[in-house]
Coordinates of all heavy atoms in Angstrom, one line a residue:
M106 N -7.2 -15.1 11.7 CA -5.7 -15.4 11.7 C -5.4 -15.7 13.2 O -5.8 -15.1 14.1 CB -5.0 -14.2 11.2 CG -3.5 -14.3 11.2 SD -3.0 -15.5 10.0 CE -1.3 -15.2 9.8
A107 N -4.5 -16.7 13.3 CA -4.0 -17.0 14.7 C -3.2 -15.9 15.3 O -2.5 -15.2 14.6 CB -3.1 -18.3 14.5
T108 N -3.4 -15.7 16.6 CA -2.7 -14.6 17.3 C -1.6 -15.2 18.2 O -0.9 -14.4 18.8 CB -3.7 -13.8 18.1 OG1 -4.4 -14.6 19.0 CG2 -4.7 -13.1 17.2
A109 N -1.6 -16.5 18.4 CA -0.6 -17.1 19.3 C 0.8 -17.0 18.6 O 0.9 -17.0 17.4 CB -0.9 -18.5 19.5
S110 N 1.8 -16.8 19.4 CA 3.2 -16.8 18.9 C 3.7 -18.3 18.9 O 3.3 -19.1 19.7 CB 4.1 -16.0 19.9 OG 3.7 -14.7 19.8
H111 N 4.6 -18.5 17.9 CA 5.2 -19.8 17.8 C 6.7 -19.7 17.6 O 7.1 -18.9 16.8 CB 4.6 -20.6 16.6 CG 3.2 -20.9 16.7 ND1 2.7 -22.0 17.3 CD2 2.1 -20.2 16.3 CE1 1.4 -22.0 17.3 NE2 1.0 -20.9 16.7
E112 N 7.4 -20.4 18.4 CA 8.9 -20.4 18.2 C 9.2 -21.4 17.2 O 8.8 -22.6 17.2 CB 9.6 -20.6 19.5 CG 11.1 -20.5 19.4 CD 11.8 -20.7 20.7 OE1 11.4 -20.0 21.7 OE2 12.8 -21.4 20.8
V113 N 10.0 -21.0 16.2 CA 10.5 -22.0 15.2 C 12.0 -21.9 15.1 O 12.6 -20.9 15.5 CB 9.9 -21.7 13.8 CG1 8.4 -21.9 13.8 CG2 10.3 -20.3 13.3
R114 N 12.6 -23.0 14.6 CA 14.1 -23.0 14.5 C 14.4 -23.0 13.0 O 13.7 -23.6 12.2 CB 14.6 -24.3 15.1 CG 14.5 -24.2 16.6 CD 15.1 -25.5 17.2 NE 14.8 -25.6 18.6 CZ 15.7 -25.4 19.6 NH1 17.0 -25.1 19.2 NH2 15.4 -25.4 20.8
I115 N 15.6 -22.5 12.7 CA 16.2 -22.6 11.4 C 17.0 -23.8 11.3 O 18.0 -24.0 12.1 CB 17.0 -21.3 11.0 CG1 16.1 -20.1 11.1 CG2 17.6 -21.4 9.6 CD1 16.8 -18.8 10.9
G116 N 16.7 -24.7 10.4 CA 17.5 -26.0 10.3 C 18.8 -25.7 9.6 O 19.2 -24.6 9.2
K117 N 19.6 -26.8 9.6 CA 21.0 -26.7 9.0 C 21.0 -26.2 7.6 O 21.9 -25.5 7.2 CB 21.7 -28.1 9.1 CG 22.0 -28.5 10.5 CD 22.7 -29.8 10.5 CE 23.1 -30.3 11.9 NZ 23.7 -31.6 11.9
Q118 N 20.0 -26.5 6.8 CA 20.0 -26.1 5.4 C 19.1 -24.8 5.3 O 18.7 -24.4 4.2 CB 19.4 -27.2 4.5 CG 20.3 -28.4 4.5 CD 19.7 -29.4 3.6 OE1 18.5 -29.5 3.4 NE2 20.6 -30.3 3.0
G119 N 18.9 -24.1 6.4 CA 18.1 -22.8 6.3 C 16.6 -23.0 6.3 O 15.9 -22.0 6.0
R120 N 16.2 -24.2 6.5 CA 14.7 -24.4 6.4 C 14.0 -24.1 7.7 O 14.5 -24.3 8.8 CB 14.5 -25.9 6.0 CG 15.0 -26.2 4.6 CD 14.7 -27.6 4.2 NE 15.1 -27.8 2.9 CZ 15.6 -29.0 2.4 NH1 15.6 -30.0 3.2 NH2 16.0 -29.1 1.2
V121 N 12.8 -23.6 7.6 CA 11.9 -23.3 8.7 C 10.6 -24.0 8.5 O 10.0 -24.0 7.4 CB 11.7 -21.7 8.8 CG1 10.7 -21.4 9.9 CG2 13.0 -21.0 9.0
V122 N 10.2 -24.7 9.5 CA 8.9 -25.4 9.5 C 7.8 -24.5 10.1 O 8.0 -24.0 11.2 CB 9.0 -26.7 10.3 CG1 7.6 -27.4 10.3 CG2 10.0 -27.7 9.7
I123 N 6.8 -24.2 9.3 CA 5.7 -23.4 9.8 C 4.7 -24.3 10.5 O 4.2 -25.3 10.0 CB 5.0 -22.7 8.6 CG1 6.0 -21.9 7.8 CG2 3.8 -21.9 9.0 CD1 5.5 -21.4 6.4
P124 N 4.5 -23.9 11.8 CA 3.6 -24.8 12.6 C 2.2 -24.9 12.0 O 1.7 -24.1 11.3 CB 3.5 -24.0 13.9 CG 4.7 -23.2 14.0 CD 5.0 -22.8 12.5
A125 N 1.6 -26.1 12.2 CA 0.3 -26.5 11.6 C -0.8 -25.4 11.9 O -1.6 -25.1 11.0 CB -0.2 -27.8 12.2
E126 N -0.8 -24.8 13.1 CA -1.8 -23.8 13.4 C -1.7 -22.6 12.5 O -2.7 -22.1 12.0 CB -1.7 -23.4 14.8 CG -2.8 -22.3 15.3 CD -2.6 -21.9 16.7 OE1 -1.9 -22.6 17.5 OE2 -3.2 -20.8 17.0
L127 N -0.5 -22.2 12.2 CA -0.3 -21.1 11.3 C -0.6 -21.4 9.8 O -1.2 -20.6 9.1 CB 1.2 -20.5 11.4 CG 1.6 -20.0 12.8 CD1 3.0 -19.6 12.8 CD2 0.6 -18.9 13.3
R128 N -0.2 -22.6 9.4 CA -0.6 -23.1 8.1 C -2.1 -23.1 7.9 O -2.6 -22.7 6.9 CB 0.1 -24.4 7.8 CG 1.6 -24.4 7.7 CD 2.1 -25.7 7.1 NE 1.6 -26.9 7.7 CZ 2.1 -27.6 8.7 NH1 3.2 -27.1 9.4 NH2 1.5 -28.7 9.1
A129 N -2.8 -23.6 8.9 CA -4.2 -23.7 8.9 C -4.8 -22.3 8.8 O -5.8 -22.0 8.0 CB -4.8 -24.4 10.1
A130 N -4.3 -21.3 9.5 CA -4.8 -19.9 9.5 C -4.6 -19.3 8.1 O -5.5 -18.5 7.7 CB -4.1 -19.1 10.6
L131 N -3.5 -19.7 7.4 CA -3.3 -19.2 6.1 C -4.0 -20.0 5.0 O -4.0 -19.7 3.8 CB -1.8 -19.2 5.8 CG -1.0 -18.1 6.5 CD1 0.5 -18.4 6.2 CD2 -1.4 -16.7 6.0
K132 N -4.6 -21.1 5.4 CA -5.3 -22.1 4.5 C -4.3 -22.6 3.5 O -4.6 -22.7 2.3 CB -6.5 -21.4 3.8 CG -7.6 -21.0 4.8 CD -8.8 -20.4 4.1 CE -9.8 -20.1 5.1 NZ -9.9 -18.7 5.5
S133 N -3.0 -22.8 3.9 CA -2.0 -23.3 3.0 C -1.9 -24.8 3.0 O -2.3 -25.5 4.0 CB -0.7 -22.7 3.4 OG -0.2 -23.1 4.7
K134 N -1.4 -25.3 1.9 CA -1.3 -26.7 1.7 C 0.2 -27.0 1.3 O 0.9 -26.1 0.9 CB -2.2 -27.2 0.6 CG -3.7 -26.8 0.7 CD -4.5 -27.2 -0.5 CE -4.2 -26.5 -1.8 NZ -4.3 -25.0 -1.8
P135 N 0.6 -28.3 1.4 CA 1.9 -28.6 1.0 C 2.2 -28.1 -0.4 O 1.3 -28.2 -1.3 CB 2.0 -30.1 1.1 CG 1.0 -30.4 2.1 CD -0.1 -29.4 2.0
R136 N 3.3 -27.6 -0.7 CA 3.8 -27.1 -2.0 C 3.2 -25.7 -2.4 O 3.5 -25.2 -3.4 CB 3.5 -28.1 -3.1 CG 4.2 -29.5 -2.8 CD 4.3 -30.4 -3.9 NE 5.0 -30.0 -5.1 CZ 6.3 -30.0 -5.2 NH1 7.1 -30.4 -4.2 NH2 6.9 -29.6 -6.3
D137 N 2.4 -25.1 -1.5 CA 1.9 -23.8 -1.7 C 3.2 -22.9 -1.6 O 4.1 -23.2 -0.9 CB 0.9 -23.3 -0.7 CG -0.5 -23.7 -1.0 OD1 -0.7 -24.4 -2.0 OD2 -1.4 -23.5 -0.1
R138 N 3.1 -21.8 -2.3 CA 4.3 -20.8 -2.3 C 3.9 -19.6 -1.5 O 2.7 -19.1 -1.5 CB 4.7 -20.4 -3.7 CG 5.3 -21.5 -4.5 CD 5.6 -21.0 -5.9 NE 6.2 -22.1 -6.6 CZ 7.3 -22.1 -7.2 NH1 8.0 -21.0 -7.2 NH2 7.8 -23.1 -7.9
L139 N 4.8 -19.1 -0.7 CA 4.6 -17.9 0.1 C 5.7 -16.9 -0.4 O 6.8 -17.3 -0.8 CB 4.8 -18.1 1.6 CG 3.8 -19.1 2.2 CD1 4.2 -19.4 3.7 CD2 2.4 -18.5 2.1
I140 N 5.3 -15.6 -0.3 CA 6.3 -14.6 -0.6 C 6.9 -14.2 0.7 O 6.3 -13.9 1.7 CB 5.5 -13.4 -1.3 CG1 4.7 -13.8 -2.4 CG2 6.5 -12.3 -1.6 CD1 5.4 -14.5 -3.6
A141 N 8.3 -14.1 0.7 CA 9.0 -13.7 1.9 C 9.7 -12.4 1.7 O 10.2 -12.1 0.6 CB 10.1 -14.8 2.2
R142 N 9.6 -11.5 2.7 CA 10.3 -10.3 2.7 C 10.8 -9.9 4.1 O 10.3 -10.4 5.1 CB 9.5 -9.2 2.1 CG 8.3 -8.7 2.9 CD 7.5 -7.6 2.2 NE 6.5 -7.1 3.1 CZ 5.4 -7.7 3.4 NH1 5.1 -8.8 2.8 NH2 4.5 -7.2 4.2
V143 N 11.8 -9.0 4.1 CA 12.3 -8.6 5.4 C 11.8 -7.2 5.6 O 11.8 -6.3 4.7 CB 13.9 -8.5 5.4 CG1 14.4 -7.9 6.7 CG2 14.4 -9.9 5.2
E144 N 11.2 -6.9 6.8 CA 10.7 -5.6 7.2 C 11.5 -5.3 8.5 O 11.1 -5.8 9.6 CB 9.2 -5.6 7.5 CG 8.4 -5.6 6.2 CD 6.9 -5.5 6.6 OE1 6.5 -5.4 7.7 OE2 6.1 -5.5 5.6
G145 N 12.5 -4.4 8.4 CA 13.3 -4.1 9.6 C 14.0 -5.4 10.0 O 14.8 -6.0 9.3
D146 N 13.7 -5.8 11.2 CA 14.3 -7.0 11.8 C 13.3 -8.2 11.8 O 13.5 -9.2 12.5 CB 14.9 -6.8 13.2 CG 13.8 -6.4 14.2 OD1 12.7 -6.1 13.8 OD2 14.1 -6.3 15.4
R147 N 12.3 -8.1 11.0 CA 11.2 -9.2 10.9 C 11.2 -9.9 9.6 O 11.5 -9.2 8.5 CB 9.8 -8.6 11.1 CG 9.7 -7.9 12.5 CD 8.3 -7.3 12.7 NE 7.9 -6.5 11.5 CZ 6.6 -6.5 11.1 NH1 5.7 -7.2 11.7 NH2 6.3 -5.7 10.1
L148 N 11.0 -11.1 9.6 CA 10.7 -11.9 8.3 C 9.2 -12.0 8.2 O 8.6 -12.5 9.1 CB 11.4 -13.3 8.4 CG 11.1 -14.2 7.2 CD1 11.6 -13.7 5.9 CD2 11.6 -15.6 7.5
V149 N 8.7 -11.6 7.1 CA 7.2 -11.6 6.8 C 7.0 -12.6 5.7 O 7.6 -12.6 4.6 CB 6.7 -10.2 6.4 CG1 5.2 -10.3 6.1 CG2 7.0 -9.2 7.5
L150 N 6.1 -13.5 5.9 CA 5.6 -14.5 4.9 C 4.2 -14.2 4.6 O 3.4 -14.0 5.5 CB 5.7 -15.9 5.4 CG 7.1 -16.4 5.8 CD1 7.0 -17.8 6.4 CD2 8.0 -16.5 4.6
E151 N 3.8 -14.1 3.3 CA 2.4 -13.9 2.9 C 2.1 -14.6 1.7 O 3.0 -15.0 0.9 CB 2.1 -12.4 2.8 CG 2.8 -11.7 1.7 CD 2.5 -10.2 1.7 OE1 1.4 -9.8 2.1 OE2 3.4 -9.5 1.3
T152 N 0.8 -14.9 1.5 CA 0.4 -15.6 0.3 C 0.5 -14.6 -0.9 O 0.5 -13.4 -0.7 CB -1.0 -16.1 0.4 OG1 -1.9 -15.0 0.5 CG2 -1.2 -17.1 1.5
R153 N 0.6 -15.2 -2.1 CA 0.6 -14.4 -3.3 C -0.6 -13.5 -3.4 O -0.6 -12.4 -3.8 CB 0.8 -15.3 -4.5 CG 1.0 -14.5 -5.8 CD 1.3 -15.5 -6.9 NE 1.6 -14.9 -8.2 CZ 0.7 -14.4 -9.0 NH1 -0.6 -14.6 -8.8 NH2 1.1 -13.8 -10.1
E154 N -1.7 -14.1 -3.1 CA -3.0 -13.4 -3.1 C -3.0 -12.2 -2.2 O -3.5 -11.2 -2.5 CB -4.2 -14.4 -2.8 CG -4.4 -15.5 -3.8 CD -3.4 -16.6 -3.7 OE1 -2.8 -16.8 -2.7 OE2 -3.2 -17.3 -4.8
A155 N -2.5 -12.4 -1.0 CA -2.4 -11.3 0.0 C -1.5 -10.2 -0.5 O -1.9 -9.0 -0.3 CB -1.9 -11.9 1.4
L156 N -0.4 -10.6 -1.1 CA 0.5 -9.6 -1.7 C -0.2 -8.8 -2.8 O -0.2 -7.5 -2.8 CB 1.7 -10.2 -2.2 CG 2.7 -9.4 -3.0 CD1 3.3 -8.3 -2.1 CD2 3.7 -10.2 -3.7
I157 N -0.9 -9.5 -3.7 CA -1.6 -8.8 -4.7 C -2.7 -7.8 -4.2 O -2.8 -6.7 -4.6 CB -2.3 -9.8 -5.7 CG1 -1.2 -10.5 -6.5 CG2 -3.3 -9.1 -6.7 CD1 -1.6 -11.7 -7.3
E158 N -3.5 -8.3 -3.2 CA -4.5 -7.5 -2.6 C -3.9 -6.2 -1.9 O -4.4 -5.1 -2.0 CB -5.3 -8.3 -1.6 CG -6.3 -7.5 -0.8 CD -7.3 -6.7 -1.6 OE1 -7.7 -7.2 -2.7 OE2 -7.7 -5.6 -1.2
R159 N -2.7 -6.4 -1.2 CA -2.1 -5.3 -0.6 C -1.6 -4.3 -1.6 O -1.7 -3.1 -1.4 CB -0.9 -5.8 0.3 CG -0.3 -4.8 1.2 CD 0.6 -5.5 2.2 NE 1.6 -6.5 1.7 CZ 2.7 -6.1 1.1 NH1 3.0 -4.8 1.0 NH2 3.6 -7.0 0.6
M160 N -1.0 -4.7 -2.7 CA -0.6 -3.8 -3.7 C -1.7 -3.1 -4.4 O -1.7 -1.9 -4.7 CB 0.3 -4.5 -4.8 CG 1.6 -5.0 -4.3 SD 2.7 -3.7 -3.8 CE 2.6 -3.7 -2.1
Q161 N -2.8 -3.8 -4.7 CA -4.0 -3.2 -5.3 C -4.6 -2.1 -4.3 O -5.0 -1.0 -4.8 CB -5.0 -4.2 -5.6 CG -4.6 -5.1 -6.8 CD -5.6 -6.2 -7.1 OE1 -6.3 -6.7 -6.2 NE2 -5.5 -6.7 -8.3
A162 N -4.6 -2.4 -3.0 CA -5.2 -1.5 -2.1 C -4.3 -0.2 -2.0 O -4.8 0.9 -1.9 CB -5.2 -2.1 -0.7
R163 N -3.0 -0.4 -2.1 CA -2.1 0.7 -2.1 C -2.3 1.8 -3.2 O -2.2 3.0 -3.0 CB -0.6 0.3 -2.2 CG 0.4 1.4 -2.2 CD 1.8 0.9 -2.4 NE 2.3 0.6 -1.1 CZ 3.5 0.0 -0.8 NH1 4.3 -0.2 -1.9 NH2 3.9 -0.2 0.4
F164 N -2.8 1.3 -4.4 CA -3.0 2.1 -5.5 C -4.4 2.3 -5.9 O -4.8 3.0 -6.9 CB -2.2 1.6 -6.7 CG -0.7 1.6 -6.5 CD1 -0.1 0.4 -6.2 CD2 0.0 2.7 -6.6 CE1 1.3 0.4 -5.9 CE2 1.4 2.7 -6.4 CZ 2.0 1.5 -6.0
R165 N -5.3 1.8 -5.0 CA -6.8 1.9 -5.3 C -7.3 3.4 -5.4 O -8.2 3.6 -6.2 CB -7.5 1.2 -4.2 CG -8.9 0.8 -4.6 CD -9.5 -0.2 -3.7 NE -9.1 -1.6 -4.1 CZ -8.7 -2.5 -3.3 NH1 -8.7 -2.3 -2.0 NH2 -8.2 -3.7 -3.7
H166 N -6.6 4.3 -4.8 CA -7.1 5.7 -4.8 C -6.8 6.4 -6.1 O -7.3 7.5 -6.4 CB -6.4 6.5 -3.6 CG -4.9 6.6 -3.8 ND1 -4.1 5.6 -3.6 CD2 -4.2 7.7 -4.3 CE1 -2.8 6.0 -3.8 NE2 -2.9 7.3 -4.3
I167 N -6.0 5.8 -7.0 CA -5.6 6.4 -8.2 C -6.7 6.2 -9.3 O -7.1 5.0 -9.5 CB -4.3 5.9 -8.8 CG1 -3.2 6.2 -7.7 CG2 -3.9 6.4 -10.1 CD1 -1.9 5.5 -8.0
P168 N -7.3 7.2 -9.9 CA -8.4 7.0 -10.8 C -7.9 6.2 -12.0 O -6.7 6.2 -12.4 CB -8.7 8.5 -11.3 CG -8.1 9.4 -10.3 CD -6.9 8.6 -9.7
P169 N -8.8 5.4 -12.6 CA -8.4 4.5 -13.7 C -7.9 5.3 -14.9 O -7.1 4.7 -15.7 CB -9.7 3.8 -14.1 CG -10.7 4.2 -13.1 CD -10.2 5.3 -12.2
E170 N -8.3 6.5 -15.1 CA -7.8 7.3 -16.3 C -6.4 7.8 -16.1 O -5.8 8.3 -17.1 CB -8.7 8.4 -16.6 CG -8.8 9.5 -15.6 CD -9.9 9.2 -14.5 OE1 -10.5 8.1 -14.5 OE2 -10.1 10.1 -13.7
V171 N -5.8 7.7 -14.9 CA -4.4 8.1 -14.7 C -3.5 7.0 -15.0 O -3.7 5.9 -14.5 CB -4.3 8.6 -13.2 CG1 -2.8 8.9 -12.9 CG2 -5.1 9.8 -12.9
S172 N -2.5 7.3 -15.8 CA -1.5 6.3 -16.1 C -0.2 6.6 -15.3 O 0.5 7.5 -15.6 CB -1.2 6.2 -17.6 OG 0.0 5.4 -17.9
L173 N 0.1 5.7 -14.4 CA 1.4 5.9 -13.6 C 2.6 5.7 -14.5 O 3.6 6.3 -14.3 CB 1.4 5.0 -12.4 CG 0.3 5.2 -11.3 CD1 0.5 4.2 -10.2 CD2 0.4 6.6 -10.8
V174 N 2.5 4.8 -15.5 CA 3.6 4.6 -16.4 C 3.9 5.9 -17.2 O 5.0 6.3 -17.3 CB 3.2 3.4 -17.4 CG1 4.3 3.3 -18.5 CG2 3.1 2.1 -16.6
D175 N 2.8 6.5 -17.7 CA 3.0 7.8 -18.5 C 3.6 8.8 -17.6 O 4.5 9.6 -18.0 CB 1.7 8.2 -19.1 CG 1.2 7.3 -20.2 OD1 2.0 6.6 -20.8 OD2 0.0 7.4 -20.5
E176 N 3.2 8.9 -16.3 CA 3.7 9.9 -15.4 C 5.2 9.7 -15.1 O 6.0 10.6 -15.1 CB 2.9 9.9 -14.1 CG 1.5 10.6 -14.3 CD 0.8 10.7 -13.0 OE1 1.4 10.6 -11.9 OE2 -0.4 11.0 -13.0
L177 N 5.5 8.4 -14.9 CA 6.9 8.0 -14.7 C 7.8 8.4 -15.9 O 8.9 9.0 -15.7 CB 7.1 6.6 -14.3 CG 8.5 6.1 -14.1 CD1 9.1 6.7 -12.9 CD2 8.5 4.5 -13.9
I178 N 7.4 8.0 -17.1 CA 8.1 8.3 -18.3 C 8.3 9.9 -18.4 O 9.4 10.3 -18.7 CB 7.4 7.7 -19.5 CG1 7.5 6.2 -19.5 CG2 8.1 8.3 -20.8 CD1 6.7 5.5 -20.5
S179 N 7.3 10.6 -18.2 CA 7.4 12.1 -18.3 C 8.4 12.6 -17.3 O 9.2 13.5 -17.6 CB 6.0 12.7 -18.0 OG 6.1 14.1 -18.0
E180 N 8.3 12.1 -16.0 CA 9.3 12.6 -15.0 C 10.7 12.2 -15.4 O 11.6 13.1 -15.2 CB 8.9 11.9 -13.7 CG 7.7 12.5 -13.0 CD 7.4 11.7 -11.7 OE1 8.2 11.0 -11.2 OE2 6.2 11.9 -11.2
R181 N 10.9 11.0 -15.9 CA 12.3 10.6 -16.3 C 12.8 11.5 -17.5 O 14.0 11.9 -17.5 CB 12.3 9.1 -16.8 CG 12.0 8.2 -15.6 CD 13.1 8.2 -14.6 NE 12.9 7.2 -13.6 CZ 12.7 7.4 -12.3 NH1 12.7 8.6 -11.9 NH2 12.5 6.4 -11.5
R182 N 11.9 11.8 -18.4 CA 12.3 12.7 -19.5 C 12.7 14.1 -19.0 O 13.6 14.7 -19.5 CB 11.2 12.8 -20.6 CG 11.1 11.5 -21.4 CD 10.0 11.6 -22.4 NE 10.0 10.3 -23.2 CZ 8.9 9.9 -23.8 NH1 7.8 10.5 -23.8 NH2 9.0 8.7 -24.5
Q183 N 11.9 14.6 -18.1 CA 12.2 15.9 -17.5 C 13.6 15.9 -16.8 O 14.4 16.8 -16.9 CB 11.1 16.4 -16.5 CG 9.8 16.7 -17.2 CD 8.7 17.0 -16.2 OE1 8.9 17.0 -15.0 NE2 7.5 17.2 -16.7
D184 N 13.8 14.8 -16.0 CA 15.1 14.6 -15.3 C 16.2 14.6 -16.3 O 17.3 15.2 -16.1 CB 15.1 13.4 -14.5 CG 14.2 13.5 -13.3 OD1 13.8 14.6 -12.9 OD2 13.9 12.4 -12.7
A185 N 16.0 13.9 -17.4 CA 17.1 13.8 -18.4 C 17.4 15.1 -19.1 O 18.6 15.5 -19.3 CB 16.7 12.7 -19.5
R186 N 16.3 15.9 -19.4 CA 16.5 17.2 -19.9 C 17.3 18.1 -19.0 O 18.2 18.9 -19.4 CB 15.2 17.9 -20.3 CG 14.6 17.4 -21.6 CD 13.5 18.3 -22.1 NE 12.3 18.1 -21.2 CZ 11.3 17.2 -21.4 NH1 11.4 16.3 -22.3 NH2 10.3 17.2 -20.6
R187 N 16.9 18.1 -17.7 CA 17.7 18.9 -16.7 C 19.1 18.5 -16.6 O 20.0 19.3 -16.5 CB 17.0 18.8 -15.3 CG 15.7 19.6 -15.2 CD 15.3 19.7 -13.7 NE 14.7 18.5 -13.2 CZ 13.4 18.1 -13.3 NH1 12.6 19.0 -13.8 NH2 13.0 17.0 -12.8
E188 N 19.4 17.2 -16.6 CA 20.8 16.7 -16.6 C 21.6 17.2 -17.8 O 22.7 17.6 -17.7 CB 20.8 15.2 -16.4 CG 20.4 14.7 -15.1 CD 20.3 13.2 -15.0 OE1 20.8 12.5 -15.9 OE2 19.7 12.6 -14.0
E189 N 20.9 17.1 -19.0 CA 21.6 17.5 -20.2 C 21.9 19.0 -20.1 O 23.0 19.5 -20.5 CB 20.8 17.2 -21.4 CG 20.7 15.8 -21.8 CD 19.8 15.5 -23.0 OE1 19.4 16.5 -23.7 OE2 19.4 14.3 -23.2
E190 N 21.0 19.8 -19.6 CA 21.2 21.3 -19.5 C 22.3 21.6 -18.5 O 23.1 22.4 -18.7 CB 19.9 21.9 -19.1 CG 18.8 22.0 -20.2 CD 17.5 22.5 -19.7 OE1 17.4 23.0 -18.5 OE2 16.5 22.3 -20.4
A191 N 22.3 20.8 -17.4 CA 23.4 21.0 -16.4 C 24.7 20.7 -17.0 O 25.7 21.4 -16.7 CB 23.1 20.2 -15.1
L192 N 24.8 19.7 -17.8 CA 26.1 19.3 -18.4 C 26.6 20.3 -19.4 O 27.8 20.6 -19.5 CB 26.0 17.9 -19.1 CG 25.9 16.7 -18.1 CD1 25.6 15.4 -18.9 CD2 27.2 16.5 -17.4
R193 N 25.6 20.9 -20.1 CA 26.0 21.9 -21.1 C 26.5 23.2 -20.4 O 27.4 23.8 -21.0 CB 24.8 22.3 -22.0 CG 24.5 21.3 -23.1 CD 23.5 21.8 -24.1 NE 22.6 20.6 -24.2 CZ 21.3 20.7 -24.3 NH1 20.6 21.9 -24.1 NH2 20.5 19.6 -24.4
R194 N 25.9 23.5 -19.3 CA 26.4 24.7 -18.6 C 27.7 24.5 -17.9 O 28.4 25.5 -17.6 CB 25.3 25.1 -17.5 CG 24.1 25.7 -18.1 CD 23.2 26.1 -17.1 NE 22.5 24.9 -16.7 CZ 21.3 24.9 -16.1 NH1 20.7 26.0 -15.8 NH2 20.7 23.7 -15.8
S195 N 28.1 23.3 -17.6 CA 29.4 23.1 -16.9 C 30.6 23.0 -17.8 O 30.6 23.1 -18.9 CB 29.3 21.9 -16.0 OG 29.0 20.7 -16.7

């Protein structure tokens, strides 16, 4: 990946041109899509593949037999029961 900094300008229509050196470092071509997000005061652009890899790495430590969906549903049901009980007591 390129380590040099590049100054870019935001055009009248909000467009930003990514310098050729950075496009080459990302191996991007015209019409490729990048995912944009704001992190604090930074704008981050990344390829879809990089985003997928980052998300997979974040959850890689979870064993395959664990269902995060089932855990989330269970937590939501417990929360709903607690809320119902609190309403009945009040």
